[in-house]
Structures are given as structure tokens and as C-alpha cells.
Amino acid sequence: MVTIRDVAREAGVSVASASRALNQNPNVTPETRARIQDAARRLRYIPHEGARSLTRRRCDAIGVVLPDLFGEYFSELVRGIDRVAHASGLQLLLSNMHGSPHETATAIRAMRGRVDGLLVMSPEGDGSHLHDALPHGLPAVLLNDDHTHGEASAVGIDNEGGARAITEHLVAQGYRRIAHIAGPRHNRDARQRQQGFVDAIAATIGERGPVIVPGDFTEAGGAEAARLLIAGRVPFDAIFCANDMMALGCMAVLEDAGLAIPDDVGVAGFDDIPLAGYASPPLTTMKVHIDELGAHAMTILLARMRDDGAAPTTHILAPTLVARASTARVKFDYRTPSRTHVATEGN
Amino acid sequence: MVTIRDVAREAGVSVASASRALNQNPNVTPETRARIQDAARRLRYIPHEGARSLTRRRCDAIGVVLPDLFGEYFSELVRGIDRVAHASGLQLLLSNMHGSPHETATAIRAMRGRVDGLLVMSPEGDGSHLHDALPHGLPAVLLNDDHTHGEASAVGIDNEGGARAITEHLVAQGYRRIAHIAGPRHNRDARQRQQGFVDAIAATIGERGPVIVPGDFTEAGGAEAARLLIAGRVPFDAIFCANDMMALGCMAVLEDAGLAIPDDVGVAGFDDIPLAGYASPPLTTMKVHIDELGAHAMTILLARMRDDGAAPTTHILAPTLVARASTARVKFDYRTPSRTHVATEGN
DNA sequence: CTGAAAGCGCTTACAG
DNA sequence: CTGAAAGCGCTTACAG
């Protein structure tokens, strides 16, 4: 491949001059600059960014380490991150830790010397295991975490508050026997959402031990949990799923079982992925502004990269309730008002 | 930040020995190796990958340049790429060209010296403009292109064949006045799908100038096109949309207008994004095996990276028909067989 | 087995 | 304005 030495030789100047001309440095006469640029064009010279960043001590890139790259959730997250990063002329180096805590450390280490900052989302554990992996001196922001670790800032979601809000919505709709399909046991979001649910049930209905079925954040897991619920003896008239994908799987099973949504059973999710609005009936959920989460985290990272002396901070974003037909037993069931009545009687 | 010199000093050896010990090189006595590894651990040393790749002349990373990072399509594509890349221990450096042909060149150049290979998807133009931007000597594979450019291989989709197949399906279902909502004018996929549609209509129905409404691959664009169709005087009993997102927007408008799908109007899309199966009614579409497209391209790139003397190749993947309820006027309308009859009479 | 040296491709003080 | 030199952090022949 052609290097800056080739360009310098072709133009009859030193590599120093070539570098200056190619980098818009003013200390070059127009003539030599033109000669150098011509040579570069003729040789189809493209600078080696790896070498550049080694000497410039900056990469103009930021690393993003995620548990997965797939699905609407991460897609939106990356979109938000990219919006801010691109505006600052930064490239994104994405890394997939494939859900493995061990690979997280590997992925983070592989970023050293390639990026100027790091965005990390590690949904399991308390984040202290990240402390060892994070390169000392590299600005970092934890995504979806609710407190800082070492020098890393954090941007999180108010999962507990969100879970409380949607549970209260179910209660307000008249549902009284509300079950919860939880997320993965070690997942931080899942635990917090479950906690918010339990608290809200206790505060509103006064029930101390609501039904909680384990789940795994997948559509199949939601379906399986719904089957368990139906097979069990405990009656229920609503299900709050810890995320939307499970709610979708859950709804399919309920309908197959002949249960009408929202009349026999109300269903609510969490996240508001695009699919949620297309489900039939459309799914009530807590909208997590995922792209804003990403954009916000990136903005904070930029600030830290400029001033790395600043103390790490924590930001918590509030999700918002999106009430749709899947829980519209009382107020929102504009489509089949008669059936609402029947169902209410039926329960 | 701590460098290998710090480790060497701490362990009382030369940087050469430190490097060897840290890279599992056998030429180190167990004792010195242990001493060096201890020092590295104590200092929390993490190697500078940028410097490593400069001397090793390889980055263990591959660059992916896409028109956008958002949406299910790219999400699945990246998933497929990552599956293969990860198995080979390669990182992914993603770049978003934000739909701009100009930014494509910038994004590609920025990859020089950071990656060992390049995957590029540039949906507009004929790909020859890429020729100038692709660094000479860097293995590259074009995604979604149907012929090679320079040294770059290509992996494409049989859009024409797919469009013909789904058009024939509509005809087989009894639809006779089939309109097409096209994709962006300069988009290669869109043009090929339109061509396949036109050919199939001519071959089956004998119609030479079927109705074609411009679109833009977005949901809003599909809705707008559907409104145009309804407002126009030309009768239609089916719509083949150039992609699924437009089909979704299209269906919403049709239903609002009181048209029953599939009885009054059949609707078909292209891509089979996950949303397609969730639409009501579920959408008939051509499944493009997007993740396989990505995995396939990555596999080819790996082969090129091993043997860069090989001649560039072209691979075309065939999409498969997924018949769902949105076109089930004749055979698949298991839900409302009576209405099928009515609708057929009605037309 | 170990170390001194060269070099990867670039940029940037430092002289002139 | 221009060039020679040092250096970014590493690896790898080359000697010993």
C-alpha cells in the first residue's frame, strides 16, 4: 500500500511537508501544497488511520460494548449514540460481548488504543467487575446502570418508577389479580422492574405476595410463562411482563387459549419497541426512550473526553406510560365497548 | 496510561522479553514469564491495540460501512456478519454513511489502517464510485450488489426473481389489477424489484403498463402512496410494495379507507422483517435471508483475506416466498372463507 | 533464553 | 516555509 513516504518522494519533498500539506497545515506554500496534493491523488494515497492515531494520541473513534447487537432495542440505542457521535466526527467501534461477562472484559480490552472513549452496557452483575477491565485513564460511560464505578459515569433508566407507574395503570383500569412475568434473574433491569411491581401492588391493592413467573426477556420465554400461568390454579386478570418481547409471546398464548385481551386479561410490557404498537391489540407499555439514552450517554462521554478531571456523574431517565388497547378495559376500549362490559361482569 | 515499557521496568527485563511473555511466545523461561505477568497485573497493563496492529500489520478487525445503522434490516445484517466475524476472533468497526454517497467515501477512507477487510453496502449508483474510495490492497466485499468492482467481490439478492415470484403468487391468488409501490428511484434493489414486477405482469396477465406509484421505502411513504392509489381513478385489487415497511403503511391506510385485506385488496411486501409476521393481517412477503447475506459476505471476505490473489466473485442469494394472510384470497383465507367469496364477486 | 535495534506509518516540536 | 529527527507503543528479526 502507498504511504506518505511515497507521496513525499513523488512530490519531491520531505514527509514532514507532505504531512503538513495533507493536513491543511498553513505552513506550506500554495505551490508545494498543490504539488503534494497532486501526487497524493495520482498515487491514490489514503492515510493509515492507525498510525495517525498513534502519533496524534487520539483516534476520533469511540467504542461501544453491548451484550448483543441484534434486535430493535440495540438498534435504537446505537442510532441515538451515532446521532451524537457523528455530529462530532467520531466513528463507532461496536463490540458484541455475546451475553458473556467474561467476553465483556475481552471486548473492553480490545478497545484500548483504538478509541478515545467507551460506552459499556453490561446488564448483569453490579458493574464492579467492569472496574478491572476498564482501561485506566480512558473516559467511560456505563449504559443502563444506576451508579458510577471508578471514573466511569452512568446513564440509567428508572425501572422501578416505571414498573410502579404501569402497575398503577393496570389497577386504575380495574384489574385486581395482576401477575408478573419477570426477566432474567441476574439482569439488573429485570430485578428493578420486579421490585417496582411488588411495591406498587403492595401500595395499591395491599397484596403482599403477587404471582411472579420467571422469564428470560424472549418471546418464547413469555409464551412459556403464560402457559404456566394458565395451567396454574391461581386466577389472574392481568399480566405485567418485564419487557415487550415477552408480552408479545404472552399475548399469542392467551389468545390461543381463548382469552380476550384486554377484556379477560390485560397485558402490559416495558420498553415500547416498535413492534409494540403493531401488536393486536396494540400493547400498553412503558416507553424507554432508548435512542435518547444512547444520545445522552454519548453527550456525557463527550464532556468527559474534553474534561477528564470532572467527577463521574449519574443520570436517570424516566420512562413514560404508553396506554394502548391491551389494557383498555375501562377507558380506552373504543373498539368494543360492549365486550368491555361483559368482561367486567365476567370477572 | 501504562505501557509495555512500564511493565518491563517493573519486571526488570527488556521490552522485548515483556512482549514475548505477554504474547505467549515460548522463548521465555517460566520464571521470567511469571515475573512479567505479575508486573503486568500489578500495573493493570492493557496493550495498546493501535500500536500492536501497526507493527503486526494486522488489526483483527473488519470494517462495515452501511447506509444506516437503524432498523431491523441492518440489525439482522450485522447479526449475520458478527456471527462469522466473532467466530474468527474479529472485531467489527461499524460506520454509518447516513445515506450520503459523499460520506461513503469518507467512511471507507477512515477505515484504512484500522481494519483487515471491508464490507460495504452502497445501495445507490452502480458501485463504480466506490472504486475510487476503496483502498488499494484492502480486501473488500460489496453487500447487496450484483457485480464485482475492481478487486471487490459482491454478494447480492435476486430481487428481480423475487419480485416475479411474489407477483405470480398474487396472480395465482386471483388478483388481476395489481399495482406496485416502488422504492427510491436511485435505489438498486428498488429498481430491480420494479423490473421483476413489470416482467411478471406482462408474462402472466399480459398487461404492459401496470400502475406504479413512487415510494421511498418508509412506512409514511407507503401510506402516502396508498392514499394516492385510492384517490386515483385506476381500479386495483392488489398492491405489491417494494419493501415491508411501505406495505405496513399501505395496509393501515387501506383499512382506514374501509378496504378489507385480503378480500378487497391483497397486499404483499419484500424483505420479511420481523414486523411482517405481526401485522394484521400478517403480511405476505419475500423473505430475504438478511442475516445469511451478512454471514455469507463475511465468509467470502475471510477467504479473500487469506488468499488475496483470488479473483473477485459474485454470489446471488434467492429470496423465498412467505405466503401469509394479507394475500390469502383464494387458498389461505382459513379465517373468513365466506367473505372471500363475497369479495371475489365484488370485483 | 535475552536484549539492543530497527521499523510499522504517521505527526510535531525543533532548527534553520 | 522546509527538513531532519524524535517519538507514539508495540513486535520481530538479528545477534549473542
Side-chain angles (χ1 to χ4, degrees):
Chain A
M1 295 206 196
V2 21
T3 74
I4 199 170
R5 301 184 63 120
D6 300 316
V7 176
R9 192 185 317 116
E10 176 85 3
V13 297
S14 69
V15 294
S17 290
S19 173
R20 282 191 279 259
L22 264 14
N23 286 295
Q24 325 301 344
N25 190 312
N27 310 356
V28 194
T29 56
E31 296 80 53
T32 37
R33 178 187 305 280
R35 199 145 37 90
I36 291 164
Q37 287 177 335
D38 274 0
R41 198 168 307 123
R42 223 173 307 134
L43 265 35
R44 308 184 82 235
Y45 168 70
I46 299 176
H48 188 293
E49 289 297 331
R52 278 195 88 206
S53 55
L54 187 58
T55 89
R56 297 178 60 221
R57 314 186 70 72
R58 52 179 291 187
C59 310
D60 291 324
I62 72 122
V64 183
V65 178
L66 301 175
D68 197 354
L69 298 179
F70 180 67
E72 308 195 49
Y73 186 92
F74 298 108
S75 174
E76 285 211 51
L77 183 67
V78 171
R79 187 239 254 301
I81 294 169
D82 181 65
R83 194 172 63 226
V84 177
H86 181 254
S88 297
L90 295 168
Q91 283 216 100
L92 256 37
L93 181 47
L94 291 209
S95 205
N96 184 346
M97 55 181 252
H98 301 89
S100 145
H102 173 69
E103 276 196 47
T104 311
T106 311
I108 291 177
R109 281 161 198 274
M111 294 290 184
R112 164 81 217 280
R114 298 187 161 163
V115 300
D116 303 323
L118 221 42
L119 251 30
V120 181
M121 176 159 158
S122 180
E124 314 219 336
D126 64 352
S128 63
H129 63 289
L130 291 178
H131 189 258
D132 297 334
L134 286 172
H136 199 76
L138 186 65
V141 174
L142 271 26
L143 288 166
N144 235 357
D145 207 327
D146 38 17
H147 40 267
T148 61
H149 289 284
E151 310 160 26
S153 286
V155 179
I157 293 161
D158 184 8
N159 287 302
E160 278 197 37
R164 280 198 303 272
I166 202 160
T167 305
E168 285 160 9
H169 166 77
L170 286 167
V171 173
Q173 291 295 311
Y175 298 108
R176 285 296 174 272
R177 312 225 34 127
I178 308 172
H180 178 57
I181 300 182
R185 201 197 322 258
H186 298 296
N187 184 284
R188 222 175 306 116
D189 292 323
R191 301 173 85 119
Q192 295 171 349
R193 289 170 192 182
Q194 177 171 332
Q195 188 60 51
F197 166 74
V198 170
D199 291 350
I201 289 291
T204 54
I205 302 182
E207 162 84 50
R208 306 298 300 175
V211 176
I212 295 175
V213 188
D216 60 0
F217 274 170
T218 72
E219 189 177 359
E224 179 57 25
R227 275 185 220 105
L228 271 175
L229 265 176
I230 292 173
R233 279 143 313 193
V234 196
F236 63 94
D237 63 0
I239 306 177
F240 163 42
C241 302
N243 78 345
D244 288 347
M245 281 315 285
M246 291 200 299
L248 295 176
C250 179
M251 289 208 293
V253 168
L254 294 175
E255 299 216 316
D256 283 353
L259 292 165
I261 303 170
D263 301 327
D264 298 332
V265 184
V267 177
F270 209 111
D271 285 345
D272 197 30
I273 60 176
L275 267 173
Y278 284 95
S280 58
L283 180 67
T284 290
T285 185
M286 289 305 296
K287 183 173 186 66
V288 172
H289 303 267
I290 310 173
D291 60 333
E292 283 180 29
L293 178 74
H296 205 80
M298 187 63 224
T299 305
I300 289 170
L301 181 58
L302 282 173
R304 283 197 77 72
M305 283 163 54
R306 282 194 209 95
D307 172 20
D308 54 2
T313 54
T314 302
H315 302 250
I316 304 292
L317 303 181
T320 52
L321 177 68
V322 181
R324 297 202 182 96
S326 71
T327 57
R329 184 148 71 161
V330 174
K331 302 173 189 164
F332 298 93
D333 204 330
Y334 48 88
R335 285 194 171 166
T336 52
S338 56
R339 271 208 282 158
T340 299
H341 193 60
V342 174
T344 309
E345 282 179 341
N347 282 301
Chain B
M1 296 206 197
V2 22
T3 74
I4 198 169
R5 301 184 63 122
D6 300 316
V7 176
R9 192 185 319 116
E10 175 86 5
V13 297
S14 69
V15 293
S17 290
S19 173
R20 282 191 278 258
L22 263 14
N23 286 295
Q24 325 301 344
N25 189 312
N27 308 355
V28 194
T29 56
E31 297 80 53
T32 37
R33 177 186 305 281
R35 199 144 36 90
I36 291 164
Q37 287 176 335
D38 274 359
R41 199 168 306 121
R42 224 174 306 135
L43 265 36
R44 308 184 83 237
Y45 169 69
I46 299 176
H48 188 292
E49 290 298 329
R52 277 195 89 204
S53 55
L54 187 58
T55 88
R56 296 179 61 221
R57 314 187 69 71
R58 51 180 290 187
C59 311
D60 291 323
I62 74 121
V64 183
V65 178
L66 300 175
D68 195 355
L69 298 179
F70 181 67
E72 307 196 50
Y73 187 92
F74 298 108
S75 173
E76 287 213 48
L77 184 67
V78 172
R79 185 238 254 302
I81 294 169
D82 181 66
R83 192 172 64 227
V84 177
H86 181 254
S88 297
L90 295 169
Q91 284 216 98
L92 255 38
L93 181 48
L94 290 211
S95 204
N96 185 346
M97 55 181 253
H98 301 90
S100 146
H102 173 70
E103 276 196 47
T104 311
T106 310
I108 291 177
R109 281 161 198 272
M111 293 290 184
R112 165 80 217 279
R114 298 186 162 167
V115 300
D116 303 324
L118 220 43
L119 251 30
V120 180
M121 177 158 155
S122 180
E124 312 220 335
D126 64 352
S128 64
H129 62 289
L130 291 178
H131 188 257
D132 297 333
L134 286 171
H136 199 75
L138 186 64
V141 174
L142 271 26
L143 288 165
N144 235 357
D145 207 326
D146 39 16
H147 39 268
T148 61
H149 289 284
E151 310 160 24
S153 286
V155 179
I157 293 162
D158 183 6
N159 286 302
E160 278 198 39
R164 280 199 303 271
I166 202 159
T167 305
E168 286 160 8
H169 165 78
L170 286 167
V171 173
Q173 292 295 312
Y175 298 108
R176 285 295 174 272
R177 313 226 32 126
I178 307 172
H180 178 57
I181 300 182
R185 201 197 321 257
H186 298 295
N187 183 285
R188 222 176 305 115
D189 292 323
R191 299 174 85 119
Q192 294 172 348
R193 289 170 192 182
Q194 177 171 333
Q195 188 61 51
F197 166 75
V198 170
D199 291 350
I201 289 291
T204 55
I205 302 181
E207 163 82 49
R208 306 299 298 175
V211 176
I212 295 174
V213 188
D216 61 0
F217 274 169
T218 71
E219 189 178 358
E224 178 58 24
R227 274 184 221 106
L228 271 175
L229 264 176
I230 292 172
R233 278 145 312 196
V234 196
F236 63 94
D237 62 0
I239 306 177
F240 163 42
C241 302
N243 77 345
D244 288 347
M245 282 313 288
M246 291 201 298
L248 295 176
C250 181
M251 289 208 294
V253 167
L254 293 175
E255 298 216 318
D256 283 354
L259 292 165
I261 304 170
D263 302 327
D264 298 332
V265 184
V267 178
F270 210 111
D271 286 344
D272 196 31
I273 60 177
L275 267 173
Y278 285 94
S280 59
L283 180 66
T284 291
T285 186
M286 290 304 298
K287 183 176 186 62
V288 173
H289 303 267
I290 310 172
D291 61 332
E292 284 181 30
L293 178 74
H296 205 81
M298 187 63 224
T299 304
I300 289 170
L301 181 59
L302 281 174
R304 283 197 78 71
M305 284 163 53
R306 283 195 209 94
D307 173 20
D308 55 0
T313 55
T314 301
H315 302 249
I316 303 292
L317 304 181
T320 53
L321 177 68
V322 180
R324 297 202 182 96
S326 72
T327 58
R329 183 147 72 162
V330 173
K331 301 174 189 164
F332 299 93
D333 203 331
Y334 47 89
R335 285 194 170 166
T336 52
S338 57
R339 271 207 281 158
T340 299
H341 194 60
V342 174
T344 307
E345 281 178 344
N347 282 301

